[in-house]
């Protein structure tokens, strides 16, 4: 929402440690007080090696942000306010030495009227005292310290995020003038008729101040600027016939209307004005096809929770990812950063982003861009892997923050799911269906946005998280995905090393190769990041198992990237093959706010795609060919087996037929057709399974990989390619033949 | 809650069909309009044969209940009201021809001020127009018709309940005078300290009328009448040290305090006064022991929902049952009926009643008696086996009814669980986690009683319902219970025939034996009641399989009762053996409002225990011996095998040791000791598994059953006995020996 009439006017700030009030540094707002200090003191880049450790002593410091200003020109009837769209995490607002407000919570907007202590003709001193990081007294230095507050727990350390706790004004902050009355809330509420032919619009507004003799005017315009509705009065309701619907990019156009709400007085003078965009869509979570038939047998428990997104009446397979904050110091993230990352998300063919609860919620521009790009958002509340308490103190802050998050997210048509948080119903969190914070969140969402799906946590029953390795407990991704049968794979990961350019920016040159668990590699999560396992996240033993020792960093990068890419393709494509019972595949994770040396992400900090990115993108094309393998490593003389599929999430290729050829590409690059398959006529949103190819592999001495391609005649955009690991062992005859069944 | 100062004064009523206004009949209030009509017209007993079908045409009739009264003596400052604690289901209230109110919902209290149209010195005519039964236009004549209202769906027909839809004033109704101010709400809210040594009391009251210069006085007295707290003021809060706690009968004393709240004016005159009882307890649903370890492996879904009741910090195994309304016409049920049934529930050693959502909620006296007897209540909202809609109309009535149910139930310490309704997350209902009615119920319960456990439905994940037969899909109760592993068996049934006295009251004498699917037997659910299966609920083929043809009704009754009793013992005892992972065993069902010929109930209408009742009671003793068998039917020469257990749900036998003997009782009645076991020292709430007995059974020509007994030396109250089916087939040597492992 844009308050075009009452912009927030930025101020110039300085910052001091509260224990060293006489020393002050320039401060960037939005930003973070720790960064201001580090920058002023010339600290080295916190992203390099393990420099981030320097920030640890700042966790327990209070900071004073200070701004001096003269009262801006304003009408006599206007009042001056300090407004911040986000102060992380606890603060006190003072003007000219008077405490005007205290606040807890990073997302709920801070609005303080300054009038009482304002000096009209002198320099005013505004102070925002940002308190030290909240910590539960739990005897450990980890995320449990964040389990009694609504601060993003990820900054207390995760297996892909260093311990580095930011604070301060992280979103737009400054002065705002307000007239005698203003719009403190304006939302375009609507209900779509069952056939989507009518949108019944009801404006939900709140006017504050002196409302006497005021009136509301609402204007709705289509994409071309043409006015399609005007409403005037106190209670604004109307019907829009045949609204253009908002669709994800792969299902249609993410159509957005523009609106403006004006608060006018009797003379027609505009007292306040709010503009924004609205997209008309109906989103539901419905039972996955086949889910009512489970559990089988008796005695019988309940059926699983619904996990199938239905958009405008259409069941949509969610190809997506887990999104995390793009910066450790989220104040640094602006429209440009969100934009370059979201362009990549679109390029990856994703239509859903799970905005993970361990991180801070995104800024408005993130959701605006998701609206524009037609990418759905699953937004979580700030609970992750902790047991958040039933205490009235916590619940009060949580309710306030939850309402602020819903307020921030819910005007956006991209919003598809609200979720309590991450993995809360698992032993490592220890929350359950009785936990009051989750019952509260259900209540808040029911009250505010009853028609937006709400789930208490992920995974719910039927969904699953994991695995996070190419090989886990002796099973490869191919095997465990074949054995799994979930309604939604809402987290899974395959690690890959970062590109050389990222590594060179974070690892000292002399440690670059051979790799090892030095301070820099370890701080950047290449070794011992998960469960203390030295394989995570780089996986040197796994890489060596398939491809032998590497003689250079570039060779290691190539091998690691191949494993990550093929692993991700195997999971995404198998999840899609399990449609319609399966309805979602979201990898862990998309991006990262910290330049990891190795991680499950497919985009490195700040916005560098890994080589696996293109392979994930290929696996997520709405319509494409796909081969199902049961393993990665093959030997000479062995019968290679895979089945041919056509994956189709589209509603636009109904009735089409394709010819697909399976090709074997030996190490020498020659291609041989193994089998040709003419598909049946395609139906909307339905895959097609083709024949199974079986071919005895020749012996290729010295080779360690080979390729299988699927070529779709006349449709190169649907071709697929798979690289598999190979060992030459056979000394027998080099038979070469194909079978199909 | 008793409004001692403002009693509801009963009126004398008549009733007419709205389409025959000139004909009126005497009406009983509380009662049901259909019964009034049937009684006046001399209809035969609806409980006999299939007479209930006569009531079908009344479903679509509006009734007018009419009462004429003179204004009772009252002060000038007092107002006269019509109050009903329950009118089933839609009604219109008229006074002297003026419509004063319309109301939908059977449980929410109706309160109508009569003053505006009251004739002070003439006869007033009060009319309660009870509308015809609500029916969804769904094309079927069944419970689906009840899926858009909050009326008890059971009356639309169930597999143990005829189609017979009552309506009318089913709870206390009449005139009430109110002073210038009155207490419309008064609840003793409290929080217990973590060590249960302090109860922080906060009175929650609502005063209506003219509150000027009024004051509240609160007096709390212990069981002996000794005053332990007095509070005076507007906001009444205090601390009670070392409160006696309310316990279930098997864990301690269900201690109740008495309180009185007075609304007084400045002169000390009492304007209103409310008295009641309060029991101090903390009840939680916590994770079952071992439940965090599931699911095993990865990828991983969520852990199951908590189903372990914790009362005052103590984990309690819930031995209980499913309670249904004791009358089809619930208005007929009074304190006496509830009392005789609850005496039986206590005799059955139950500590939890699941008040099933398909039926009407109970009257106050039910909960009062559960409080006194120390029996916990799981109360469901009126949703069962239907897909209730997300429409604003339904949600509005549901919220009103839900608040009324919580208001009715929550003052009672017996309340342990609130639940959305029955089997809603299964295919035959079709609701899921996104269903707004269930999200609304979470919200209502969160707001009103956040510290009372709330579950959306039963079963949740981890819990199960079924089976309902001694043999189901080829498996006996022994086998499927051994294979099952649930946190809570919240429904399971084994059918049994009713005693001869019940059968003679409902089946024509000439049809009594041999039994067959006549109209009377079928109407009373002996044949074709469940899934159209001719075996349900009598099970003639199962009875014959084990014991051959019966030559008399009494023989059939004995055989059926044995199967029901042994079947229930097998389930209850195995569920208890599965403790601590398992925490509940509740059979379907305890009682019935309809005299069934055969059913899963253990108490026939009106309050006649079946022979199996005593066997269930034995299986539910807090401390008892138990034998685990894997099957029911044994043959001569076969090795009988069973393991010996000591079941202990008590916290009072800590450190005790027992000697238990396993005895074989052949058909001739001689007893032989098979094995003796000296238990280890018992621990609180822990079972002990003893040795497995193996003995080759002799051939007993002509016998069809034998008995195994467990005798606990010096503790005959812990002895157990099991009758098993037998077939003589062996012609070999009659070896007789015992083994243990």
């Amino acid at each position: 929402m844009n308050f075009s009439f009452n912009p927030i006017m930025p101020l110039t700030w300085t910052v001091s440690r509260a224990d060293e009030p006489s020393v002050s540094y320039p401060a960037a707002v939005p930003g973070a007080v720790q960064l201001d200090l580090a920058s002023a003191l010339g600290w080295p880049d916190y992203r390099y090696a393990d420099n981030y450790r320097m920030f640890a002593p700042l966790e327990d410091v209070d900071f004073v942000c200070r701004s001096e200003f003269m009262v801006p020109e304003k009408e006599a009837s206007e009042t001056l306010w300090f407004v911040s769209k986000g102060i992380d995490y606890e603060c006190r607002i003072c003007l000219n030495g008077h405490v005007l407000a205290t606040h807890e919570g990073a997302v709920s907007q801070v609005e303080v009227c300054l009038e009482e202590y304002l000096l009209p003709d002198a320099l005013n001193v505004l102070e925002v005292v940002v308190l030290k990081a909240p910590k539960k007294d739990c005897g450990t230095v980890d995320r449990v310290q964040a389990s009694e507050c609504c601060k993003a727990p990820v900054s207390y350390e995760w297996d892909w995020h260093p311990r580095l706790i930011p604070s301060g004004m992280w979103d737009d902050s400054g002065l705002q003038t307000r007239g005698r009355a203003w719009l403190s809330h304006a939302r375009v509420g609507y209900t779509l008729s069952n056939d989507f032919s009518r949108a019944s619009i009801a404006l939900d507004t709140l006017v504050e101040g002196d409302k006497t003799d005021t009136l509301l005017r609402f204007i709705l315009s289509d994409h071309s600027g043409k006015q399609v509705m005007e409403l005037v009065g106190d209670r604004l309701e109307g019907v829009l016939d045949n609204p253009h619907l908002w669709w994800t990019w792969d299902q249609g156009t993410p159509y957005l209307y523009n609106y403006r709400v004006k608060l006018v007085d009797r003379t027609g003078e505009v007292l306040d004005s709010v503009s924004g965009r609205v997209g008309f869509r109906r989103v539901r979570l419905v039972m996955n096809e086949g889910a009512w038939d489970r559990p089988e047998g008796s005695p019988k428990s309940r059926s699983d929770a619904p996990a199938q997104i239905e958009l405008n009446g259409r069941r949509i397979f969610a190809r997506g990812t887990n999104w995390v904050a793009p910066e450790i110091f989220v104040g640094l993230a602006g429209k440009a950063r969100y934009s370059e990352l979201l362009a990549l998300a679109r390029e990856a063919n994703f239509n859903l982003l799970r905005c993970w609860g361990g991180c801070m919620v995104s800024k408005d521009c993130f959701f605006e861009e998701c609206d524009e790009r037609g990418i759905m958002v699953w937004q979580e509340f700030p609970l992750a892997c902790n047991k958040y308490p039933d205490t009235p103190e916590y619940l009060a802050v949580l309710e306030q923050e939850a309402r602020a998050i819903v307020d921030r997210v819910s005007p956006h048509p991209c919003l598809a799911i609200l979720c309590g948080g991450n993995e809360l119903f698992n032993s490592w969190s220890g929350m359950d269906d009785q936990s009051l914070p989750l019952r509260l969140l259900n209540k808040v969402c029911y009250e505010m946005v009853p028609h937006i799906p709400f789930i208490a946590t992920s995974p719910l029953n039927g969904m699953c998280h994991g695995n996070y390795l190419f090989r886990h407990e002796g099973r490869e991704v191919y095997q465990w995905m074949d054995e799994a049968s979930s309604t939604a794979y809402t987290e899974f990961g395959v690690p890959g090393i970062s590109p050389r350019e990222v590594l060179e920016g974070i690892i000292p040159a002399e440690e670059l190769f051979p790799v090892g668990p030095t301070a820099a590699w370890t701080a950047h999560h290449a070794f011992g990041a998960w469960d203390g396992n030295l394989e995570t996240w780089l996986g040197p033993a796994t890489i060596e198992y398939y491809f032998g020792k590497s003689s250079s960093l570039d060779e290691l990068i190539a091998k690691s990237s191949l494993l990550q890419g093929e692993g991700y393709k195997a999971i995404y494509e198998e999840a899609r093959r399990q449609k319609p019972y399966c309805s979602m595949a979201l990898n862990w994770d998309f991006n990262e706010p910290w330049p990891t040396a190795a991680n499950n992400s497919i985009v490195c900090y700040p916005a560098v795609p890994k080589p696996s990115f293109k392979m994930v993108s290929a696996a997520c094309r709405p319509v494409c060919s796909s081969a199902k393998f049961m393993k990665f490593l093959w030997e000479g003389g062995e019968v290679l087996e895979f089945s041919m599929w056509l994956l189709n999430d589209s509603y636009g290729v109904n009735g089409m037929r394709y010819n697909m050829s399976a090709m074997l590409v030996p190490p020498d690059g020659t291609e041989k057709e193994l089998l040709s398959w003419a598909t049946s006529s395609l139906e909307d949103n339905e895959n097609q399974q083709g024949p199974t190819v079986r071919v005895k592999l020749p012996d290729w001495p010295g080779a360690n990989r080979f390729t299988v391609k699927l070529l779709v005649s006349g449709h190169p955009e649907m071709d697929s390619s798979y690289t598999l690991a190979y060992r030459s062992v056979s000394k027998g005859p080099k038979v070469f033949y194909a079978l199909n069944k």
Side-chain angles (χ1 to χ4, degrees), chain A residues 349-671:
Chain A
N349 290 311
F350 292 152
N351 58 18
L352 176 68
L353 305 178
R354 175 181 173 228
C355 296
W356 182 73
C359 290
M360 180 79 91
V361 68
S362 298
K363 293 183 178 176
D364 290 344
C365 54
F366 169 83
F367 301 103
E368 287 163 7
E369 187 144 342
C370 289
D371 287 345
E372 290 165 16
R373 290 187 177 277
I375 298 174
M376 295 182 288
V377 165
W378 158 335
Q379 179 63 51
E380 300 197 344
F381 294 101
L383 296 83
C385 297
N386 270 326
K387 182 168 182 169
Y388 295 87
D390 286 352
T391 57
E393 298 75 22
Y394 173 72
L395 294 172
V397 178
L398 178 63
E399 176 153 8
Q400 165 204 296
E401 289 289 285
R403 291 186 179 275
I405 289 169
V406 174
D407 260 340
R408 184 176 280 238
V409 180
S410 64
H412 295 278
C414 64
L415 178 64
I417 296 173
L418 288 163
C419 172
N422 183 65
E423 295 170 3
L424 302 173
F425 288 167
N426 287 94
S427 58
W428 50 93
S429 295
M431 299 181 79
D432 62 48
D433 309 66
Q434 297 304 319
S435 298
L436 294 187
L438 300 174
R439 294 188 57 200
L440 168 64
L441 292 172
N442 185 355
K443 170 189 125 86
V444 165
C445 292
Y446 178 87
E447 288 173 350
M448 297 181 71
V449 283
H451 294 293
I452 297 294
F454 169 80
I455 59 178
T457 189
S458 178
L460 287 183
N461 42 329
M463 310 172 179
C464 71
H465 281 196
N467 292 311
Y468 299 94
L469 297 171
F470 189 89
R471 286 172 70 88
H472 186 85
E473 292 169 354
R475 293 185 303 164
E476 289 176 344
V477 289
Y478 305 86
Q479 189 183 344
W480 69 254
M481 271 304 292
D482 180 67
E483 292 165 1
S485 176
S486 293
T487 54
Y489 299 92
T490 47
E491 274 195 21
F492 54 83
V494 183
I497 197 170
S498 291
R500 177 181 274 276
E501 63 186 280
V502 172
L503 295 174
E504 286 175 348
I506 56 176
I507 310 287
E510 65 278 13
E511 294 177 18
L512 272 174
F513 195 81
V515 306
T518 64
W521 281 101
T522 304
H524 289 268
H525 302 101
F527 294 96
W530 186 42
D531 281 350
N533 179 347
L534 270 190
E535 274 286 283
T536 53
W537 290 112
L538 182 57
T542 303
I543 296 169
E544 195 174 320
Y545 170 76
Y546 289 112
F547 299 117
K549 286 208 182 301
S550 302
S551 58
S552 70
L553 180 62
D554 291 327
E555 189 182 326
L556 183 74
I557 290 173
K559 291 172 179 173
S560 169
S561 301
L562 179 63
L563 281 179
Q564 184 179 37
E566 289 295 342
Y568 270 138
K569 274 165 59 187
I571 302 172
Y572 274 107
E573 293 184 20
E574 175 59 17
R576 295 182 64 183
R577 286 189 290 263
Q578 292 177 10
K579 191 175 73 171
Y581 183 70
C582 175
S583 59
M584 281 193 197
L586 315 175
N587 86 303
W588 182 270
D589 53 351
F590 182 64
N591 60 319
E592 52 193 30
W594 166 249
T596 56
N599 186 15
N600 288 316
S601 68
I602 55 174
V603 175
C604 286
Y605 180 88
V608 184
K610 290 182 180 174
S612 63
F613 177 87
K614 280 194 187 310
M615 299 162 81
V616 168
S617 172
C620 290
R621 286 168 293 170
V623 186
C624 65
S625 55
S626 170
K628 173 169 178 166
F629 299 91
M630 290 296 293
K631 62 173 188 166
F632 184 60
L633 177 61
W634 301 83
E635 296 186 347
E638 192 178 4
V639 175
L640 170 70
E641 179 178 315
F642 62 92
S643 55
M644 297 166 72
W645 287 72
L646 202 148
L647 303 181
N648 171 28
D649 292 350
S650 166
Y651 283 72
V653 289
N654 200 21
M656 296 286 283
R657 293 166 187 271
Y658 299 93
N659 289 305
M660 190 188 301
S661 296
M663 314 294 290
L664 182 70
V665 190
D668 66 8
T670 59
E671 288 191 7

Side-chain angles (χ1 to χ4, degrees), chain A residues 5 102 174 284 341 619 625 651 679:
Chain A
F5 224 64
T102 59
R284 289 179 172 166
L341 285 169
S625 55
Y651 283 72
T679 72

